[in-house]
Amino acid sequence: MKKVIVIATVLLFGLVAAAMMISTPAQARTTFVTIGTGGITGVYYPTGGAIAKMVNKKRKLYNIRATVESTGGSVFNINAVLSGDLTFGICQSDRQYQAWHGLAEWKDKGPQKDLRAVFSIHPESVTLVAADDAGIRTIQDLRGKRVNIGNPGSGQRQNSIDALANAGIDYKKDIIAESAKAAEAPGLLQDGRIDAFFYTVGHPSGAIKEATAGKRKVHFVPITGLDRLLAKYPYYARAYIPIKFYPSATNKEDAPTFGVKATFVTSAKTPNRIVYAIVKEVFDNFEAFKKLHPAYSVLTKQNMLEGLTAPLHPGALKYFKEEGLIK
Ligand code: GLU
């Protein structure tokens, strides 16, 4: 009797296992894709969420499940996309240029030929926030001050160094440079542990809201005298900080500065169908996408193809050609 039960149980398990094996190929396998962003109080993080949302809505059609990761920013994302740790990443247009050409953080490694552009997104401006009580009215006043220039891996770190160098300031000697993450900078400023910080970010951003809404009064420092910088670096353009988003900042008018664009990148190794699906969902539902963040208000389908240096991924190119966005 016992033997019969044992045999029956074994048979039953066998049947269940066989049924599971048969049912697996029938349910198409989900492809998981990861999107690298930035600090959670930046604009990359909600942007990754917005892109993921567009494609996840059609999960039944594409079998793609996109998830978002908070990261150290542009440089980290490019490297993680190229090493295969992330499928997609958001990065500044200047960093895409540098990675493609083997400059800045990629000087030793050389040109990153596997990098592929997908589309560009919102404009980002180099934002210098200083405490009112620190006596910083111009970038020159940063000399001798404690300034957060950004963590290694962030996009803004090189922008801070370039802005300082343009003003004749050596970040290693003339200021006390901190390397904290952008998400920590507002707290450090409010606690009096730094006098100012740089953040290259779209507006409005949670981090800048946090920095301007605290007890310690703060303002945006205008970054001017940019002719030389703009002539030297092809990827920088004039920009400004719209103070309407930050009513607690003590500026009376928008602060001039320079900026770049946020861009969406991947690796040449990412399958065409994945890239095509994401591009199609964002562009086919462009008006819905635009509503997901106020920083997207200036976007047009056409300007989302500007500011890219690496070659377009073939999955993106296919969609843009089909839609007549590229001839
Ligand atoms: N521009 C920043 C960077 O590349 C990130 C800004 C954001 O997270 O919105 O590191």
Side-chain angles (χ1 to χ4, degrees):
M1 186 61 190
K2 246 187 192 167
K3 216 175 183 180
V4 173
I5 292 173
V6 170
I7 291 170
T9 315
V10 168
L11 272 176
L12 190 66
F13 271 116
L15 279 174
V16 170
M20 279 167 68
M21 272 157 65
I22 292 164
S23 69
T24 311
Q27 307 157 346
R29 265 179 225 114
T30 301
T31 306
F32 289 89
V33 305
T34 46
I35 303 174
T37 61
I40 58 166
T41 50
V43 181
Y44 286 8
Y45 189 72
T47 294
I51 295 168
K53 186 177 165 176
M54 303 311 290
V55 71
N56 287 343
K57 264 192 199 161
K58 297 280 181 69
R59 187 165 173 185
K60 286 213 177 85
L61 177 65
Y62 299 120
N63 291 305
I64 294 173
R65 171 106 179 91
T67 55
V68 168
E69 281 181 30
S70 168
T71 72
S74 285
V75 174
F76 177 93
N77 293 342
I78 291 174
N79 291 334
V81 157
L82 293 170
S83 69
D85 288 339
L86 290 169
T87 328
F88 292 94
I90 306 177
C91 71
Q92 294 176 193
S93 48
D94 53 326
R95 302 320 222 135
Q96 189 187 132
Y97 180 99
Q98 292 161 349
W100 177 253
H101 291 291
L103 305 169
E105 275 90 338
W106 297 275
K107 212 171 176 175
D108 295 337
K109 289 190 229 161
Q112 301 299 298
K113 292 295 177 200
D114 266 354
L115 189 63
R116 292 293 176 272
V118 182
F119 49 73
S120 70
I121 329 169
H122 57 278
E124 301 187 83
S125 37
V126 179
T127 307
L128 174 56
V129 185
D132 285 4
D133 59 32
I136 302 165
R137 302 312 304 177
T138 72
I139 194 164
Q140 290 296 343
D141 299 327
L142 289 178
R143 288 176 194 276
K145 304 285 182 194
R146 197 172 282 276
V147 186
N148 188 44
I149 61 167
N151 57 295
S154 72
Q156 65 266 9
R157 191 175 168 93
Q158 188 63 46
N159 305 145
S160 318
I161 294 169
D162 290 346
L164 290 162
N166 187 57
I169 300 172
D170 180 340
Y171 78 99
K172 288 188 186 137
K173 286 197 294 211
D174 303 331
I175 60 167
I176 306 157
E178 298 289 348
S179 303
K181 285 189 172 174
E184 290 159 15
L188 294 173
L189 188 65
Q190 282 301 325
D191 292 348
R193 288 163 62 198
I194 54 174
D195 302 304
F197 70 84
F198 282 95
Y199 192 15
T200 304
V201 71
H203 297 289
S205 108
I208 307 297
K209 281 189 178 164
E210 187 187 335
T212 54
K215 231 176 161 176
R216 195 178 186 197
K217 287 286 158 205
V218 308
H219 62 278
F220 301 109
V221 180
I223 305 181
T224 54
L226 293 171
D227 293 349
R228 203 156 40 99
L229 178 108
L230 297 176
K232 191 167 171 194
Y233 302 113
Y235 39 73
Y236 287 146
R238 285 181 203 281
Y240 65 94
I241 323 276
I243 56 167
K244 67 174 182 202
F245 293 126
Y246 309 109
S248 309
T250 56
N251 297 68
K252 299 268 179 301
E253 50 200 47
D254 290 346
T257 181
F258 64 102
V260 293
K261 261 180 161 215
T263 71
F264 196 53
V265 295
T266 191
S267 151
K269 296 192 181 79
T270 307
N272 290 359
R273 87 167 176 96
I274 307 279
V275 181
Y276 180 85
I278 291 190
V279 174
K280 183 170 172 59
E281 288 315 309
V282 169
F283 279 72
D284 276 4
N285 304 291
F286 184 64
E287 291 309 319
F289 176 77
K290 255 181 97 164
K291 288 201 185 83
L292 296 177
H293 198 286
Y296 308 157
S297 64
V298 294
L299 297 185
T300 63
K301 285 185 182 181
Q302 206 61 55
N303 70 22
M304 286 178 78
L305 298 182
E306 292 164 5
L308 307 171
T309 307
L312 276 173
H313 188 284
L317 191 61
K318 177 172 183 268
Y319 177 85
F320 296 143
K321 281 196 165 161
E322 276 171 12
E323 291 300 303
L325 288 162
I326 284 182
K327 295 280 170 291

